Every structure is written in C-alpha cells, then in structure tokens.
Amino acid sequence: MIYADKSAGIIVTGATGRQGAFHIALMNEYAKSIGGTGVVAGVTPGKGGQEIHGVPVYNSIRDAMADCDAGVSVIFVPASAAGDSIMESASAGLSLAVTITEHIPVHDTMKAIAYAKLHDCAVVGPNCPGLLSPGEIKLGIMPAHLFSRGNIGVISRSGTLTYEIVDELTKAGLGQSTVVGIGGDPVIGQTFSDVLRRFEEDGQTKAVVLIGEVGGALEEEGARSTDLPLAAYIAGISAPPEKRMGHAGAIIEGGEGDARSKIEQLRKM
Amino acid sequence: MKFLEHEAKSVFAEHGIPIPGGFLIRSADELSGYLEKLPPEFVLKAQVDVGGRGKAGGILITDRQNGVATARSLFGKTIKGVPVREILAEERLPIIHEYYASIAVDRSTKEALILFTEEGGVDIEKLARERPFAIRRASVPLLMTEIPPFMLRDLLRGAPNEAGRILQCLYTVFCRKDAILAEINPLVTTSSGIFAADAKLIVDDNALKRQGISQNRDLTERERAAERHGFSYVELDGNIGVIGNGAGLTMATLDLIDFFNGKAANFLDVGGGADQERVMHAVRLVAGVPSVRVIIVNLLGGITRCDEVARGIIDAKISQEVIVRLAGTNEEEGRCLLMEKGYRMLDSMEEAVRAAVEAVR
C-alpha cells in the first residue's frame, strides 16, 4: 500500500457533477466493504449545504476541512477549473490530489503541479482512473471487482488496459499491492519513477508491472531508477508517428517515444 | 494545432519580435500589387505545414521581373503532398549569422524547456544527436512570469543581447498562447538588426477554446466528425475498422492486429460511458470509411452495459461484418442480443482480433 491507507478521509471536488456524484457512491461502497473511512466531504463552489449520497457538500476545501478530517482529494471538476482544484487541494494541506479530469490545458497542469510541489502535495494524473490499494482504499474510478490483494504493484498510463491486465493478474492468482493510473497526458504529476520510489519503500510490493505507451521517455526513466523486478507492456507498437493516439500524451514526436525503442531500451535493463 | 508560418509570424510580431517585411498572397496575380513594396530580390515561401519545406521546393528566390511567373509555378505545386494555397512573399535578408531559439513543454521536468544554439538554420533534432553540446538549455517553471536574467546569460553567452530580449518575448508568446512549442529557426542577424526568419507555433489542443480557435485544422473531416461525438479518432491505411474504449486498450487492439499481420483502418476510442447511441455513431463512422471490410469492437469496462452496446451495434445497421468482444455488466444479455442477429461475440481480445484478421484474408 502506498500514498494512503484505509484511515484516510477523502474529499471529492466536482461532487455535484454526474461523474463526481456517481463515483462518490462507488468509492464509499468500497470503503464500507473493507471498513475504510471513505469520502467524508464533497466540494462544489456555490453548492455548499447539499448532500450527495449522504455526503455533505461544501463550497470550498477549506470549509470542508473545518468540519471533516481529510487527507486526500479526488478531482472530478471540468477541465477549465481542474488546475485550480489541484492548487486548492495543495493549499489546504492535503497530501495527495488524484486528478481524474481529462482535457486540462497543459499549461494549467504544469502550473498546478509546480504549485502543489511547493506545498508537498503529490498529484496523480491528470487524465487518469486514479489508484486502488485492494483492501485499503479506492481513489478514483477503477472497477474494484477485478482487483485482489497481494504483492504486485501496477503503474499505468492507461485506464481500461490496466483493468484488462489487473483482471489477468487476479485470474493468475497474483494479487496487487497498489495499482496507480498515472494518466495519459503529456505532463503528469506522479511519474513511473515517483511511484516506483514509493513501491521501494513499501514492504508489501515485491514486483511491479509497468504499463506504458508511445510518447515521451517516462517508462525508460522509471525503469532505470529502480532495482525492483519489473515486467512491462508498451502499447502502440503499430502507432504512426506524429499522430495523437487517444491520449494527449500518446504521440511519437520528433523521433522520440516510439514503442519499439522503448521496448528495446527496457529489454537492455 | 499548428499555426502556419505567416500566422506564427504575426503572433510573434505582436509580441515584439522583429520579422522580415512581407505580404501574404493567395494568387500569383495578387503579387503584382505588392511588387513595388518588395525589394528587387525577394523570397516566395509556400505556406504548407510540412517539414523540410525548402528542400522540397517550397521556398524560391525571385525578383520583380520574374516574381509573378515564379509564384504561378509555386501555386501549381504540391509540397510533400500538400497543395500550395497561400504564399508568403518576403524580403530576402542579408544574413550575417543564424541562431536557433525554441521553447517547448518538457514532459520530464514539467517545465518550459528553452533551447538556444549559435548553430541556427539546421535540423535541431539532427544537431541534438550529433553535437548535443552545441545546444544550450534552460528550464523555467511556468509559475515564473519571465525568464530569469541568469538563465538568459547562460543561454546567450556571446550572442547579442537583443537575442535575449527576443527569448523573453518568445516566452511571453509561449505563456499567453498556451503553446506546446514556439520556435524561431533561424533567428538571423543582419546589418540592420535581428529577425525571426522562420516561425513555428503549436497551440495545445486542449486550450483551443480559450485561445478563441473554433476548429482544429490539423484534423481531417472524419476526425473532426468523431471529435464532435467525443471520440478520439485517427485514420490509418488498413481495412480492419477498430472501436475500443480507452486509448491504451484501443492501441493494444491495433498492436494485436499488427501482430497477426492484419492492417487496421483506424483508431477509435469511444471514451467513457459507451451507451447505445454513442456505440451506434462509432460503428457508423468507421463503417463509412470505404476501405473498411470488417469492424472489431473491443469494449471492457466495469460500468459499460453490454446490452446497450449490443443494441448500438445492431442499430447501426451497416453492411460490413462486426466482430465483438465485450466484458462488463449484462454480458449475457448482450451476447444473446447479438447472437440472435447473427453477430459473432468472442471471449478474448486475441480471439476477436484473429477472427477479424481471418475475415479479410
């Protein structure tokens, strides 16, 4: 287990939106099933005083923290306000902001991550399914029924492909310690290296599955940074250059980031 | 979205970066009106978004006498497959020295990466491979409103101070325009000053709306139609249509097709919450590509309702065969609906891809 355990109180921003409300229910269902704290507050500016699935909604994270004990946030607010929500989380003293929102302008992401760093707040995502430590905590939208508790860490730039692989792991009797969707954007908070560092300090994780894709060089950087046993899958071996393959970050640019060279480099390690 | 050279130059000029004098023309005849305002010798630059434009014949030097005829021949050309519709007629600069300057989003540092070299006018990627030490770098956190002076000193060394002012302007452009790349190659000095002889600007697709850009020109018509439905879509050149949910899973489907020696016609990620109508639109969109002979639908989701997906496929009423792999809620119901109508629904991604590749063989 890394980042947060079952005792962590969760704040959901964008709580009154369709996605936010739906996933408050699912996160709390999971927390209830394992005896975790779950979502203690929702935040939507201007909607304070409402309740979503029994969870009180506040106008700001500060307001919520005055009433509730929370350590982490999960962000569902629309793209144009998501950078702001990351900074609000950091400013309020939360240690982790899991950002589900897709299509955030990359400059907003860069500023929000730089600001969060000043406040020692780790950002997971944006454009990610969140993270799940089986038996401990679910932060985000991952389908919990596919997961089982164990010693394998999983780090992925993708959503559904992660579920596919977690499903296979579970069926093969290989439970997971924590599964982290780090996001499909070109600029993301926690990278493979950051998550691997956490796994190294985590007594539970014995080996890590790394799920990467075309674009950038974060997979190679991560693999180089760790001594943990790794297995990797890189999507996009058939992706043409200069085309964005669904994720804003999945693009082979200026001759960098193609799947074959990633696989070759990972094999050499 | 990529800006054309003349658009990027206008933006740069608005932010205080000197550019060569010139005019944009849409026909050869239009040039005759500008001949007196241009110097005796000038350059015609095709406004096409392709790399290696000069070598491909997209940049021609001409004079007042031959200008119109040269423009006419350039308008008749296609540069690396792109027809020439606009030409920038520009003064020819008497170059003393060429520099290179760019600012880009850096994934590793999550900051703005500034590159500067005194060996401008070259292919920067080639220079980075062959003489990396010739390129100076600085990394600026976007929380800063300008490049700190020490970084400018490190970048410039012996280069003229005016280049530092231009880097500062370029950083302002980068920030204000939500750029993922702002590049001047070459940045040239002449006896009368320093100029951006070429200009490149790429704006973040996620920021087009707040930049006042209503349509992403980099997309084809079908890609744009897909975007309106909220799909991520990329055209490829094979005959197997692909629909998946999630970029990674869809890419993995393409990779598996490739592995079994098939060729995918497209990449289509329907995104989250694939309901009946979205699936119908996706299937119709892919079926509308003339080269598509079979379609594979590969959807996996905790909350995707398989019966809805099945109805969407049936509603699309297309002529090509659809091979389906579905996992999620109401899987059995979806399977029954599809089997009733004679569709094939397979259990694993591998089986489904094999079946699709077999179908076009």
Side-chain angles (χ1 to χ4, degrees):
Chain A
M1 176 268 302
I2 54 175
Y3 292 107
D5 61 20
K6 60 171 71 174
S7 69
I10 306 165
I11 288 180
V12 169
T13 72
T16 54
R18 200 171 57 93
Q19 290 287 321
F22 181 69
H23 287 289
I24 282 176
L26 290 185
M27 273 186 268
N28 272 345
E29 192 182 292
Y30 189 73
K32 203 173 164 194
S33 73
I34 56 154
T37 304
V39 181
V40 294
V43 169
T44 303
K47 301 265 172 86
Q50 295 186 9
E51 268 197 9
I52 299 284
H53 301 294
V55 172
V57 176
Y58 296 85
N59 286 322
S60 72
I61 297 181
R62 264 181 215 289
D63 285 359
M65 303 263 290
D67 282 2
C68 318
D69 192 11
V72 302
S73 69
V74 182
I75 293 168
F76 286 96
V77 304
S80 59
D84 187 50
S85 196
I86 295 172
M87 294 191 282
E88 189 186 359
S89 304
S91 167
L94 298 176
S95 65
L96 179 69
V98 177
T99 312
I100 311 300
T101 310
E102 192 182 352
H103 298 307
I104 304 177
V106 70
H107 282 217
D108 291 5
T109 302
M110 291 161 84
K111 285 177 196 162
I113 289 172
Y115 181 86
K117 201 174 163 191
L118 297 175
H119 292 262
D120 287 322
C121 171
V123 178
V124 170
N127 188 10
C128 80
L131 65 94
L132 198 153
S133 300
E136 290 287 344
I137 196 164
K138 165 176 147 133
L139 298 166
I141 64 171
M142 291 186 181
H145 67 275
L146 302 174
F147 293 67
S148 58
R149 191 180 171 113
N151 302 321
I152 309 292
V154 179
I155 316 171
S156 173
R157 284 171 67 190
S158 152
T160 44
L161 187 57
T162 313
Y163 313 154
E164 184 88 38
I165 289 170
V166 166
D167 190 30
E168 296 286 334
L169 285 171
T170 296
K171 282 178 184 157
L174 296 166
Q176 306 90 45
S177 54
T178 300
V179 179
V180 187
I182 56 174
D185 272 5
V187 175
I188 50 177
Q190 295 289 291
T191 61
F192 288 107
S193 320
D194 299 317
V195 184
L196 281 163
R197 210 169 304 130
R198 302 253 184 170
F199 277 140
E200 278 175 9
E201 292 159 9
D202 169 40
Q204 191 187 348
T205 306
K206 302 288 179 235
V208 177
V209 178
L210 189 152
I211 307 164
E213 60 192 28
V214 290
L218 294 179
E219 291 84 354
E220 300 94 300
E221 275 177 32
R224 234 173 266 129
S225 74
T226 190
D227 294 325
L228 282 166
L230 289 182
Y233 176 83
I234 305 290
I237 205 153
S238 60
E242 305 298 333
K243 283 284 184 186
R244 223 169 273 286
M245 305 303 282
H247 283 151
I251 178 167
I252 303 165
E253 273 171 316
E256 191 201 58
D258 69 285
R260 266 174 232 284
S261 79
K262 276 179 195 284
I263 291 166
E264 227 169 81
Q265 288 196 55
L266 289 170
R267 281 214 173 108
K268 275 190 218 151
M269 289 176 207
Chain B
M1 186 186 95
K2 294 189 189 104
F3 278 42
L4 292 171
E5 178 194 5
H6 73 92
E7 297 168 325
K9 277 184 170 163
S10 311
V11 173
F12 287 9
E14 281 164 28
H15 288 82
I17 299 171
I19 58 168
F23 304 95
L24 183 73
I25 55 169
R26 292 188 175 82
S27 73
D29 294 333
E30 221 181 308
L31 183 63
S32 29
Y34 295 124
L35 284 177
E36 288 307 308
K37 293 176 189 157
L38 285 160
E41 222 184 41
F42 55 90
V43 199
L44 295 175
K45 304 174 87 176
Q47 297 300 288
V48 287
D49 165 36
V50 298
R53 174 180 60 159
K55 280 191 190 124
I59 300 175
L60 303 171
I61 296 163
T62 184
D63 53 32
R64 283 181 187 156
Q65 216 175 2
N66 303 303
V68 175
T70 314
R72 193 157 286 136
S73 78
L74 189 51
F75 271 118
K77 277 194 204 165
T78 56
I79 310 294
K80 292 190 174 174
V82 182
V84 180
R85 298 222 162 81
E86 292 173 320
I87 292 173
L88 185 61
E90 208 175 61
E91 69 173 301
R92 192 182 173 203
L93 298 169
I95 296 169
I96 296 173
H97 192 86
E98 295 182 302
Y99 300 93
Y100 168 99
S102 73
I103 307 181
V105 168
D106 184 42
R107 294 173 181 236
S108 271
T109 59
K110 303 160 203 178
E111 296 180 339
L113 176 66
I114 307 176
L115 301 183
F116 184 81
T117 166
E118 305 208 20
E119 301 178 24
V122 295
D123 177 350
I124 191 71
E125 285 148 21
K126 197 168 160 229
L127 186 66
R129 276 195 305 274
E130 290 167 3
R131 299 168 39 74
F133 47 85
I135 302 173
R136 297 171 202 152
R137 297 151 183 269
S139 187
V140 187
L142 276 199
L143 296 179
M144 312 201 82
T145 52
E146 53 182 38
I147 307 167
F150 83 90
M151 281 191 194
L152 286 179
R153 288 195 298 275
D154 274 356
L155 287 163
L156 295 176
R157 312 236 178 116
N161 282 339
E162 181 62 4
R165 192 189 68 79
I166 285 174
L167 276 177
Q168 206 65 270
C169 296
L170 197 62
Y171 183 66
T172 307
V173 169
F174 182 82
C175 294
R176 286 212 193 136
K177 293 289 160 185
D178 276 300
I180 54 175
L181 174 71
E183 180 188 79
I184 305 174
N185 187 25
L187 175 69
V188 305
T189 50
T190 71
S191 54
S192 54
I194 188 161
F195 299 91
D198 199 354
K200 206 172 186 181
L201 182 63
I202 307 177
V203 172
D204 177 11
D205 287 348
N206 286 338
L208 294 183
K209 205 168 140 203
R210 75 176 176 201
Q211 287 298 333
I213 298 165
S214 56
Q215 196 178 64
N216 186 350
R217 277 191 318 227
D218 290 354
L219 303 180
T220 66
E221 212 152 294
R222 208 182 295 277
E223 283 168 350
R224 227 173 272 146
E227 200 185 54
R228 278 196 291 277
H229 286 295
F231 305 147
S232 299
Y233 181 85
V234 178
E235 282 177 5
L236 302 168
D237 52 9
N239 50 14
I240 302 174
V242 179
I243 296 169
N245 67 335
L249 186 67
T250 313
M251 246 186 285
T253 313
L254 298 186
D255 293 349
L256 209 51
I257 291 174
D258 185 71
F259 181 80
F260 289 119
N261 298 316
K263 282 196 82 131
N266 72 285
F267 166 101
L268 190 155
D269 169 11
V270 289
D275 62 12
Q276 186 168 344
E277 205 186 320
R278 287 172 67 80
V279 170
M280 182 195 77
H281 284 303
V283 173
R284 281 195 184 155
L285 190 91
V286 172
V289 180
S291 59
V292 168
R293 288 171 50 205
V294 61
I295 296 174
I296 171 166
V297 176
N298 182 17
L299 299 183
L300 174 114
I303 53 171
T304 302
R305 286 185 42 190
C306 297
D307 53 322
E308 286 234 10
V309 173
R311 285 196 187 93
I313 293 168
I314 295 163
D315 282 357
K317 295 193 184 71
I318 58 156
S319 55
Q320 295 98 324
E321 184 187 2
V322 184
I323 293 165
V324 187
R325 183 268 173 149
L326 277 178
T329 321
N330 298 349
E331 211 174 295
E332 262 324 294
E333 205 182 329
R335 186 190 305 272
C336 289
L337 282 166
L338 287 169
M339 291 207 343
E340 250 170 51
K341 299 278 177 186
Y343 289 92
R344 269 197 282 173
M345 183 162 147
L346 298 163
D347 285 329
S348 78
M349 195 162 138
E350 191 179 323
E351 285 173 83
V353 168
R354 265 180 199 276
V357 173
E358 288 297 321
V360 293
R361 199 159 274 161

